[in-house]
Amino acid sequence: MLSTFRAAIAAIFPPTITRPPVQQLAALCHRRAKNGREVLLVTSSHGRWILPKGWPIAGMNASDAALQEAWEEGGVRKGKVDATALGSFDGQKRYDGGATVPCHTEVFSIEVKSMAKKFPEADRRERIWVAADKAADLVQEDGLRDILRGFAKN
């Protein structure tokens, strides 16, 4: 309901009006693999590779909301989330109707402990585990690329 309202408002106002950015929270989910650390990417509703992300959730702090998004969009059943953001980036939120608004996204690191095959958005999203530097090549947002490249170096 809220996202429909936001999309309607974004479509009404001309693009020349400066709006404050909307806030989103993203989950940089990672795990140890045979060849090093991997990160989880999921597909957006437009088919792009992204981190699981979403809106702040009433009654939850930002890191817990990011963990909730990791569950809903990526199937992360259990993970250890950092309380402070790893970083943030600015971009554009694209709504299904085509409207875009400025968006500020905070990224929280989540060390994944277990995954589920069935999760709320499993039928709507693909997911892959890749090295962080490879993930940086797959995403489209410049700021997210920078965060992933920095994560790959650590």
Side-chain angles (χ1 to χ4, degrees):
M1 176 64 123
L2 188 56
S3 63
T4 303
F5 176 73
R6 284 184 176 138
I9 293 298
I12 292 170
F13 291 107
T16 56
I17 296 175
T18 303
R19 298 177 210 110
V22 296
Q23 178 73 36
Q24 287 206 304
L25 307 165
L28 197 163
C29 304
H30 56 92
R31 68 180 183 187
R32 293 275 176 209
K34 291 178 184 176
N35 296 329
R37 194 163 47 173
E38 297 177 322
V39 299
L40 176 69
L41 295 179
V42 299
T43 52
S44 71
S45 57
H46 300 282
R48 298 175 299 115
W49 289 110
I50 62 170
L51 297 179
K53 65 180 179 171
W55 306 110
I57 300 171
M60 284 188 173
N61 64 39
S63 59
D64 288 340
L67 183 58
Q68 179 66 28
E69 292 300 330
W71 159 245
E72 292 175 7
E73 296 183 0
V76 175
R77 182 186 308 268
K78 186 177 178 185
K80 180 183 175 192
V81 61
D82 287 350
T84 57
L86 175 67
S88 63
F89 65 95
D90 295 317
Q92 295 290 318
K93 168 66 178 163
R94 287 191 262 175
Y95 292 97
D96 290 339
T100 62
V101 295
C103 183
H104 180 77
T105 304
E106 290 186 61
V107 180
F108 291 86
S109 173
I110 299 175
E111 183 181 355
V112 175
K113 303 294 185 186
S114 67
M115 298 285 293
K117 290 183 180 180
K118 294 181 182 182
F119 53 97
E121 297 185 21
D123 60 332
R124 296 179 28 209
R125 300 188 187 270
E126 292 179 47
R127 61 183 181 176
I128 57 170
W129 285 97
V130 294
D133 56 345
K134 172 69 173 170
D137 293 337
L138 294 174
V139 301
Q140 293 181 0
E141 298 91 349
D142 291 334
L144 180 54
R145 277 190 194 117
D146 293 342
I147 289 171
L148 288 165
R149 287 185 179 127
F151 189 78
K153 290 178 183 177
N154 292 332

